[in-house]
Amino acid sequence: MTYFYPPLRKKQVILLALLTMGTGAAAQKKVFNRADSSKPAANDATDRLKQLPASSLDTAGYFRNTDMMLRNRGAVSSPDLDQARKLPYMGINAVLSGRATGVDVRIPSAEPGKRNALFIRGASGLLLKNGDVFAAQPLYVIDGMPLQYDHAFAYDIQRFDFNRIGTEIDPLAYIDVNDIRSIEVLKDAAATAKYGPSASAGVIQISTRGPRTGELRVEVNGYAGMSLKPSMKVVNGRWERDFRLPFYDRYATAEQYRSFPAYLADSTNAQYYGTADWDEAYYRNGWMTGLHAGVSGGNRLASFRFGVGQATQQGQDNTLARRYNVNFGINITPAKRLDWSTYISASMLNRKRNQSLRDRMGDQDYILNLDRPPSPNKGLLEAYYGYLDDGIDNNRNTNVRVLNNLSYQFAPWLKFNSRFSIDYGQNFRDLFMPSTVNDGNNFASNFDGLQNRMTLDNSLEFSRYLGKRHHLTVTAGQYNQWDRWSYMYGKGYRGKSDYIKIYQPSSPGNPDNGSHNLRLTANFKDRIRAALASFYGNIEYDYAGKYNVMLYLRQDGSSNVTEENRWKLFPTAAVSWNVSNEPFLQDSKALSTLRLRGSAGRMGKVFSLDYYKDGPIYNVEIGWEGTPNLSTYNAFPVLNAAYELGYVAPGIGWAYTDQINGGIDFGFANDRIKASVDVYARTDRDLLLKTPVAQEYGYSGVWQNGMDIRNSGVELTLEASIIQNKTFAWSSAINASMNQNKLLALPGGQTAVVLGNRRFEVGFPTDRFWLLQNEGIYASNADVPAGMTYQGIAMKGGDPIWIDRNGDNVIDDNDRIMEGSHNPKVQGGWANTFKYRDFELNFLLSYAFGRKLINENLAARYDFANREGADDIGAVKEVFYWAEPEGDMDRIPRYNPWSAVRPYQVNQTLFLEDGSYVRLRSLTLTYNFRSAWLAKRGLQSLRVYGTGNNLLTWTRYRGGDPEAFSYLGYDQGGYNWAQPKSFTLGFNLQF
């Protein structure tokens, strides 16, 4: 495969980009000055200018013809980016948190550059594991080009559901916020239908700062700042011993006393009873810097923009993300009625990952000796890091995007548009762990992943007034999309030497010329291809700017659906009434805007995997636990029924989404006060689900259509310009989103199903925890009701009092309740901006109420008897184990930790806590220099600013950060890094 890794040094790359930008700008300035429409020009150029309609965005910078001739008519949220550009965001999702309605941003770990997630109006399916998050993500569109998101299929060869093999770099971190002109969140069918089945979970539509008309302008943005390391109460072995001894004194047998952990038994052992200062080596204050430059100019015949940027962000531990990006775009009218736009961008992102034991074992698929945890001593930890430095963990992603738009105006009322785009990405990881930190067994692996998407969209638009009041627009088009994901992955254990830090498989016929023993290696190669073909038509009628009716029809065909069900028609209709244009409201001084709108539509949902289309399949599943998908046994190729994957039922058809949305927009006092309210219901129908089957069939389950899930809710946005005069202004904006879901149907008419540690029942929400109800402790055997058992085990004194809901004296799954949700009942943000002369102060509060979290970290601390020294990845103790656990320890009863009923199992109400919060997400102070002062120095504008991020949090949650938890709602302590408190200083300069 071909890599896009430049051989130049980083400083040379930046200097080369700046030199290219400068020379290109000088050349463009001469060309555009000659063709400036304000000066005498050739008749041909004058005629072309007459044919090219002016746009309000000409001087702002944009790419023409990116709306696919279909306008946004539905529920759309547009966050203000002016303040977001002053914050050190490396990724789009963080920009939207608290700024857009209907958006739920999930950042399980604030590790720089790591993938995170966003859900629009709730998740569009069940979230049972991390891989399910990929399919529930919205479609991201840049200037009309649908981006390709990562794929989850590499999870198929993994035993542990922590990180997908590969770099795990956020694909949205390629985009520099300074290159973005606007972001729109498209939520209902009227707004998203034009993007087809890929948009069934919503759309994040991004418009960049494209080519701009006017004099040559150079813009430079830069910032530098620091994120502060967290403060915590570190402990050593003495604290842990004192924590455990009361349990031993009350419940332990003589044999259990003898098995007291050796590293805690000897109080003279300085390795564990010495100074606890590990945090000084583990955490740090992280630097962050960013520099972006752009140059643009031209006229309406030819304009351009060139941008280049770099950003670096250090994590609070030894992590790092560094991005380089460059982009170039032009708008050209080369002939009468012909318009052409092109955009090219290239990005590279390097990531230095965390060094946690759990993630490392998951990557290696190898569990280390867990008899002793790392030492809480700084010196010993630094020595351990010294051994880790002998290893390699290189993570690098590259991305290239190309967009071409071509349009031709046959007549003032007839236009043809063609768009072609390519999104190409590659991610590469080299991993080597030396034997000194790996129980004497070194490990090496190599991952090479590739993904690419090509799209082609052709459409013809008829748009004409029929009389003075009637306007009709008819659009017909076709769309094609080709996707491919592939990877090659190889790993080897016990290499010949720690000096050989690469994985090199042996060649055919010569098993001894590889870097590792052939029997201690594994090689994987996989790919997925998908194609989508669509034909669409749109009819829109508008009467006098008051009444608008739109009907959109789309016929989609997907290669991932069985042949007999491959094509399906999906309709969408929308209506709106601009009441403020009616005669009875046109002269209203109070009510300046009133608009009613409604939409209903059906959209297809694309299956992420390609093996559902052919019914029952065969697979390679003859390996062992952790490596199930080996394709050979003793070098003989093997193919067998996909028992582990599950039986794929024949005739699987389209899953689809039905959406209904009603909204009202109104404004008062010449729109100084504006508000929008939306009420919606989105039902995802005929979703695929693997349901359990009888064990005698041999399959882990059967895949079939038939699951329906509904998300419904209300969204509110209120904006007000409260004070506005020459010296002082105050504007405020608040948004709120409420969403709830319900399971409407299961495959085969089932009414309930248990999948893992979750139960799903028709008529109930899908995001609830399934928990035992805890009501205290049985102080003695006499307090236990006669015959009370837990799954056949007699309960005794020291066991939990779990409510026997059905009264059968047996505590089992029938006594669990569906309680609490990690999805909040209401969430949103409140932003305020104050302006006084040349000063500007802005702050944003974000909030979430009604969220419940499971404090898994606290449960693990109390469950020491079952985890100590166990050969299980759940028994791993990281260096951050040596800190007082976050949680209300006073309310946790002292159960018998050795009891066979597992009294500290995590799925019980004992560890369910309120995760509601209010957070001061950002505070920004800006000073804008006066234009007269700038004009004397040849500058157009200059502003400097200082920001604070995540400054204060108000919450009743006693665990860690109420925003840092797994996608499934579990607080896993140090694995879920909180977004740090940070401060930055920056500037924006134009000349």
Side-chain angles (χ1 to χ4, degrees):
M1 293 188 177
T2 304
Y3 294 97
F4 290 89
Y5 304 160
L8 301 177
R9 294 181 180 178
K10 299 166 187 175
K11 292 183 179 179
Q12 293 174 326
V13 172
I14 295 176
L15 289 174
L16 179 61
L18 290 173
L19 178 61
T20 304
M21 181 175 66
T23 56
Q28 293 281 5
K29 184 174 182 180
K30 290 184 178 181
V31 172
F32 294 142
N33 279 345
R34 292 172 184 170
D36 194 338
S37 59
S38 64
K39 300 177 181 180
N43 291 333
D44 180 63
T46 303
D47 290 341
R48 281 184 282 156
L49 277 173
K50 290 179 179 179
Q51 294 290 336
L52 188 64
S55 169
S56 60
L57 295 176
D58 283 336
T59 57
Y62 76 113
F63 289 97
R64 299 170 186 162
N65 308 309
T66 61
D67 57 5
M68 301 173 70
M69 298 188 186
L70 301 171
R71 284 73 182 174
N72 295 332
R73 297 297 187 191
V76 179
S77 179
S78 302
D80 181 13
L81 295 185
D82 184 60
Q83 301 300 329
R85 294 190 187 99
K86 303 172 186 175
L87 300 169
Y89 291 135
M90 187 176 282
I92 300 301
N93 291 345
V95 174
L96 299 174
S97 182
R99 294 182 173 89
T101 57
V103 171
D104 185 10
V105 177
R106 299 292 179 88
I107 304 179
S109 172
E111 183 178 340
K114 186 175 182 180
R115 178 177 58 85
N116 49 65
L118 179 149
F119 305 100
I120 297 177
R121 292 182 168 180
S124 58
L126 298 184
L127 300 182
L128 302 173
K129 56 186 184 300
N130 284 333
D132 295 333
V133 175
F134 289 76
Q137 292 307 285
L139 175 67
Y140 291 83
V141 178
I142 297 183
D143 295 316
M145 175 172 52
L147 300 188
Q148 188 182 38
Y149 201 74
D150 282 343
H151 202 287
F153 73 132
Y155 273 112
D156 291 347
I157 62 171
Q158 296 181 240
R159 178 165 41 145
F160 302 112
D161 187 41
F162 302 134
N163 300 299
R164 198 197 66 160
I165 56 173
T167 62
E168 273 286 78
I169 288 177
D170 179 11
L172 303 174
Y174 293 131
I175 307 168
D176 192 329
V177 178
N178 290 290
D179 284 323
I180 298 176
R181 176 171 51 83
S182 67
I183 298 179
E184 294 179 309
V185 182
L186 313 185
K187 295 174 284 190
D188 71 339
T192 61
K194 63 183 180 182
Y195 291 115
S198 301
S200 60
V203 175
I204 305 297
Q205 184 171 272
I206 301 169
S207 298
T208 64
R209 291 176 165 177
R212 183 191 61 83
T213 63
E215 294 183 353
L216 193 70
R217 178 190 296 172
V218 177
E219 180 179 353
V220 181
N221 303 280
Y223 68 84
M226 177 181 290
S227 61
L228 305 184
K229 63 180 181 181
S231 60
M232 58 183 56
K233 298 179 180 179
V234 296
V235 300
N236 63 4
R238 185 176 304 279
W239 187 96
E240 183 65 20
R241 183 198 63 180
D242 293 343
F243 167 72
R244 296 190 187 189
L245 279 179
F247 294 94
Y248 276 85
D249 294 340
R250 183 172 180 179
Y251 298 113
T253 64
E255 181 180 354
Q256 289 163 347
Y257 254 115
R258 286 193 294 271
S259 65
F260 192 81
Y263 66 91
L264 296 178
D266 182 6
S267 60
T268 64
N269 184 352
Q271 183 177 357
Y272 293 100
Y273 279 83
T275 303
D277 52 2
W278 62 269
D279 58 316
E280 297 179 11
Y282 189 81
Y283 292 114
R284 66 179 178 185
N285 295 325
W287 287 99
M288 56 185 71
T289 60
L291 183 62
H292 172 272
V295 59
S296 60
N299 58 31
R300 287 189 292 127
L301 288 180
S303 58
F304 82 104
R305 184 180 187 276
F306 179 83
V308 61
Q310 183 272 341
T312 301
Q313 191 174 104
Q314 289 183 337
Q316 294 169 296
D317 72 340
N318 195 27
T319 56
L320 176 75
R322 181 174 286 117
R323 177 189 66 208
Y324 301 93
N325 59 281
V326 61
N327 56 78
F328 178 72
I330 55 175
N331 289 333
I332 297 178
T333 305
K336 289 183 181 180
R337 303 177 181 177
L338 182 63
D339 201 11
W340 176 53
S341 298
T342 188
Y343 173 76
I344 302 174
S345 72
S347 304
M348 180 174 66
L349 199 151
N350 297 318
R351 174 185 172 216
K352 187 176 182 181
R353 302 166 71 121
N354 77 75
Q355 298 172 330
S356 70
L357 290 169
R358 187 201 69 172
D359 287 4
R360 177 150 62 89
M361 293 182 202
D363 293 335
Q364 298 179 189
D365 192 13
Y366 175 74
I367 298 177
L368 302 174
N369 187 325
L370 301 177
D371 287 344
R372 292 173 176 265
S375 169
N377 181 265
K378 172 184 175 181
L380 294 174
L381 182 61
E382 288 177 338
Y384 170 76
Y385 282 157
Y387 290 122
L388 277 180
D389 288 341
D390 292 333
I392 295 174
D393 192 357
N394 295 328
N395 298 263
R396 178 175 294 174
N397 280 29
T398 57
N399 177 261
V400 176
R401 297 193 304 271
V402 180
L403 172 68
N404 271 285
N405 287 332
L406 186 69
S407 68
Y408 185 79
Q409 193 91 26
F410 292 100
W413 43 268
L414 187 62
K415 182 180 181 181
F416 172 77
N417 188 71
S418 181
R419 174 188 297 107
F420 177 73
S421 70
I422 299 175
D423 184 9
Y424 180 94
Q426 195 163 22
N427 62 94
F428 175 80
R429 186 185 187 192
D430 258 338
L431 176 65
F432 173 78
M433 284 294 144
S435 58
T436 49
V437 295
N438 229 42
D439 288 353
N441 302 307
N442 62 33
F443 172 84
S445 69
N446 172 270
F447 180 90
D448 187 357
L450 172 69
Q451 60 188 60
N452 61 274
R453 165 173 289 177
M454 291 194 302
T455 66
L456 175 65
D457 186 350
N458 297 298
S459 56
L460 187 67
E461 179 188 71
F462 169 89
S463 180
R464 191 165 190 173
Y465 274 96
L466 307 177
K468 295 182 179 181
R469 295 177 177 269
H470 306 275
H471 187 264
L472 180 66
T473 302
V474 179
T475 305
Q478 63 84 216
Y479 176 82
N480 290 95
Q481 178 176 299
W482 300 270
D483 289 320
R484 181 186 178 188
W485 296 268
S486 64
Y487 70 83
M488 293 186 293
Y489 176 65
K491 61 181 179 180
Y493 302 88
R494 299 184 66 180
K496 299 174 182 178
S497 167
D498 278 359
Y499 293 103
I500 303 175
K501 301 184 180 184
I502 62 171
Y503 173 72
Q504 177 64 49
S506 57
S507 58
N510 191 355
D512 297 325
N513 69 345
S515 58
H516 294 72
N517 185 316
L518 180 62
R519 296 182 180 274
L520 296 176
T521 65
N523 299 288
F524 305 87
K525 184 176 182 179
D526 200 359
R527 74 176 184 187
I528 287 182
R529 288 181 175 178
L532 178 70
S534 306
F535 300 92
Y536 60 86
N538 185 74
I539 301 176
E540 184 176 349
Y541 169 75
D542 183 270
Y543 176 76
K546 294 187 291 186
Y547 314 112
N548 185 277
V549 179
M550 184 270 288
L551 176 63
Y552 180 73
L553 299 176
R554 186 181 182 104
Q555 181 89 0
D556 290 308
S558 171
S559 64
N560 285 356
V561 180
T562 56
E563 185 174 354
E564 62 270 22
N565 300 314
R566 183 153 295 166
W567 290 92
K568 195 173 182 68
L569 180 66
F570 300 103
T572 296
V575 296
S576 65
W577 178 21
N578 194 346
V579 187
S580 52
N581 282 348
E582 295 288 355
F584 56 84
L585 277 182
Q586 285 182 343
D587 298 328
S588 175
K589 296 182 180 179
L591 187 61
S592 52
T593 297
L594 179 60
R595 181 169 176 258
L596 305 177
R597 47 186 168 78
S599 67
R602 173 171 291 182
M603 299 173 60
K605 292 179 67 71
V606 177
F607 294 137
S608 60
L609 297 170
D610 57 1
Y611 49 63
Y612 302 127
K613 61 183 179 181
D614 297 320
I617 64 173
Y618 286 83
N619 204 344
V620 286
E621 295 178 350
I622 50 83
W624 51 86
E625 183 181 3
T627 311
N629 295 337
L630 290 181
S631 58
T632 60
Y633 182 78
N634 275 343
F636 289 98
V638 176
L639 193 66
N640 60 292
Y643 294 111
E644 185 64 29
L645 170 68
Y647 180 82
V648 180
I652 285 179
W654 277 87
Y656 56 91
T657 299
D658 289 336
Q659 298 188 64
I660 300 176
N661 192 96
I664 179 172
D665 308 313
F666 49 89
F668 300 96
N670 200 26
D671 282 357
R672 286 190 61 180
I673 301 175
K674 297 187 296 182
S676 295
V677 179
D678 280 274
V679 180
Y680 66 88
R682 187 189 71 200
T683 305
D684 295 285
R685 299 187 183 277
D686 263 352
L687 298 174
L688 280 178
L689 183 67
K690 184 172 75 170
T691 55
V693 294
Q695 292 185 354
E696 52 264 31
Y697 289 106
Y699 287 94
S700 61
V702 55
W703 289 96
Q704 53 187 328
N705 291 112
M707 181 172 65
D708 298 349
I709 298 175
R710 173 173 295 161
N711 282 274
S712 58
V714 180
E715 297 167 353
L716 168 68
T717 301
L718 178 63
E719 302 176 4
S721 179
I722 301 172
I723 300 175
Q724 191 171 9
N725 56 47
K726 294 182 179 180
T727 59
F728 181 75
W730 172 24
S731 61
S732 184
I734 189 170
N735 67 77
S737 305
M738 290 155 278
N739 182 79
Q740 58 183 359
N741 63 56
K742 181 186 293 186
L743 181 64
L744 301 182
L746 285 169
Q750 300 178 72
T751 58
V753 63
V754 175
L755 301 173
N757 61 357
R758 303 277 299 280
R759 175 182 169 87
F760 303 96
E761 187 173 346
V762 172
F764 290 87
T766 63
D767 53 4
R768 299 295 189 263
F769 300 106
W770 194 35
L771 310 174
L772 292 172
Q773 288 179 278
N774 190 294
E775 284 199 334
I777 182 173
Y778 292 118
S780 65
N781 291 337
D783 295 329
V784 181
M788 180 66 71
T789 64
Y790 171 76
Q791 296 184 350
I793 302 171
M795 301 193 74
K796 302 176 182 179
D799 286 341
I801 300 176
W802 287 319
I803 294 180
D804 182 14
R805 296 180 63 235
N806 57 9
D808 62 356
N809 258 18
V810 176
I811 303 298
D812 55 17
D813 288 346
N814 294 320
D815 297 305
R816 294 183 182 272
I817 62 171
M818 297 169 69
E819 179 77 13
S821 170
H822 54 87
N823 293 314
K825 293 180 179 178
V826 58
Q827 63 180 330
W830 181 33
N832 285 269
T833 300
F834 303 90
K835 295 181 180 179
Y836 177 73
R837 296 187 185 278
D838 297 320
F839 287 94
E840 181 179 312
L841 178 68
N842 173 273
F843 72 84
L844 172 66
L845 292 171
S846 62
Y847 63 88
F849 300 127
R851 168 177 284 162
K852 299 291 185 178
L853 299 176
I854 294 286
N855 194 338
E856 183 179 3
N857 185 52
L858 186 62
R861 197 60 171 248
Y862 278 88
D863 196 27
F864 60 86
N866 292 295
R867 296 171 181 260
E868 188 66 51
D871 187 23
D872 184 271
I873 202 165
V876 173
K877 295 183 181 66
E878 307 285 353
V879 67
F880 46 76
Y881 176 81
W882 298 110
E884 288 190 24
E886 294 178 296
D888 188 358
M889 301 182 68
D890 293 335
R891 71 177 183 86
I892 306 298
R894 283 181 177 164
Y895 299 129
N896 179 359
W898 294 276
S899 172
V901 306
R902 294 292 298 261
Y904 291 111
Q905 57 183 274
V906 67
N907 288 306
Q908 57 178 313
T909 57
L910 178 65
F911 299 109
L912 183 67
E913 297 187 38
D914 183 4
S916 303
Y917 70 89
V918 176
R919 166 164 288 170
L920 179 57
R921 187 165 299 280
S922 64
L923 178 67
T924 305
L925 178 62
T926 305
Y927 182 77
N928 297 283
F929 286 85
R930 291 182 177 273
S931 57
W933 183 88
L934 296 173
K936 294 179 181 179
R937 291 158 178 80
L939 304 177
Q940 289 184 352
S941 67
L942 172 63
R943 64 179 182 178
V944 294
Y945 58 85
T947 69
N949 235 10
N950 304 308
L951 300 180
L952 295 170
T953 302
W954 297 271
T955 181
R956 292 189 296 177
Y957 184 56
R958 298 295 298 273
D961 189 285
E963 283 191 292
F965 54 90
S966 73
Y967 292 123
L968 307 182
Y970 291 82
D971 178 358
Q972 299 173 323
Y975 298 117
N976 298 129
W977 297 359
Q979 298 180 62
K981 182 183 299 185
S982 64
F983 299 91
T984 58
L985 294 174
F987 69 91
N988 173 265
L989 172 65
Q990 291 183 5
F991 58 90

